[in-house]
Amino acid sequence: MKVTMPLRVGIMALAISLGLSAAVKAQEDKIIATVGEKPVYQSELDFAVTDLDPQFERLPVEQRRAAAFAALLDIKLIAQQAEAAGMGEGDLFQRRLDFLKDRALHNAFFQSKIASTITDENVRARYDKEVAATPPEQEVSARHILVDSEEQAKAVVAELDAGKDFIELAKEKSTGPSGPQGGDLGYFTRGRMVPEFEEAAFKLEPGAYTKEPVKTQFGWHIIKVEDKRDTPPPAFEQVVEQMRRVLLQEQYVAVLEEAREKLKVEVTDEDLKKLMESVNPTDSK
């Protein structure tokens, strides 16, 4: 099953990462500590927990909370020192605050209006739609015996014609890596093997083997097809997160397009304008 992904993959990945990390369970915001004369709120600890390095995910919940609280206190202590030194003043710092505010609003909107709207039922419906829209592809299960010369290959065919077991002959004579497994190649679809091998394999009916050796760049093959079937779709459990990401991405792009219709975007820096036009012409309009 193939899923066509919309544009803005990188932006979407960033949005999902930031949006989900910013999601904090709503609760009464109580004061849990003070640093100097300034309070530290429960919500700040909740944010700190979600902002921990992924390596902390292996720790028990209480240890993660303790690590987050220690990091939060460090931030508060240094921040007050920076503020006392006048580092919280000036236009550049204000622009940084504006950026952080915009990002927080972006994340809050993403979580509330996009991520929370994707239900398990939506994901399952998308999976069923993709399965229904994907034509089944035929695959074969085959074995082969690989030898170095046409004469050797014809001798193997003669032994098979005389009733010798294919698996035993493969173990005895095949020079390929699958020889010890009786030449078993498992199931494969078109495009997985070299053209000459593939053409011969897909022409065979189950149980039949090539009466004429097949020459490829690897040597001479005698091929036996064990089974033919349509490829089964991937199990829902295998692709559920992929389906969820597709839905999130599509919804995110739709929201962006709606926003662009309401708000004019004008790129005034000529170098950036040319760069955006080269990446995606619609981004600079």
Side-chain angles (χ1 to χ4, degrees), residues 1 30 57 71 74 88 114 119 135 161 182 193 204 230 232 272:
M1 178 173 57
K30 64 180 181 180
E57 291 179 3
D74 290 348
I114 299 177
T119 65
D161 290 342
M193 302 294 180
L204 291 170
D230 288 338
L272 277 176

Side-chain angles (χ1 to χ4, degrees), residues 168-269:
E168 293 306 316
L169 280 175
K171 291 179 179 179
E172 177 186 343
K173 299 181 179 294
S174 182
T175 61
S178 65
Q181 290 77 47
D184 187 15
L185 298 172
Y187 282 95
F188 55 89
T189 55
R190 292 184 182 276
R192 296 281 301 278
M193 302 294 180
V194 292
E196 305 90 340
F197 190 101
E198 176 184 290
E199 182 180 359
F202 277 89
K203 283 181 179 179
L204 291 170
E205 292 300 320
Y209 56 87
T210 50
K211 297 294 184 176
E212 291 294 328
V214 178
K215 187 178 185 302
T216 72
Q217 66 198 68
F218 303 105
W220 294 82
H221 307 258
I222 302 91
I223 306 166
K224 181 181 180 181
V225 167
E226 301 280 7
D227 186 31
K228 283 186 177 181
R229 68 180 186 185
D230 288 338
T231 54
F236 176 69
E237 293 73 16
Q238 292 179 312
V239 295
V240 58
E241 290 308 315
Q242 180 187 2
M243 293 295 100
R244 193 179 302 277
R245 287 194 296 271
V246 169
L247 291 174
L248 283 169
Q249 183 162 339
E250 290 178 346
Q251 183 67 7
Y252 182 73
V253 171
V255 168
L256 278 178
E257 290 176 350
E258 182 180 351
R260 282 178 177 273
E261 291 177 1
K262 295 178 181 178
L263 300 170
K264 181 181 179 181
V265 176
E266 182 180 1
V267 182
T268 55
D269 184 284

Side-chain angles (χ1 to χ4, degrees), residues 143-147 156 159-160 164-184 222:
R143 297 178 183 272
H144 79 139
I145 300 171
L146 176 65
V147 292
V156 171
E159 290 189 76
L160 290 170
K164 290 290 184 70
D165 182 72
F166 194 98
I167 294 176
E168 293 306 316
L169 280 175
K171 291 179 179 179
E172 177 186 343
K173 299 181 179 294
S174 182
T175 61
S178 65
Q181 290 77 47
D184 187 15
I222 302 91

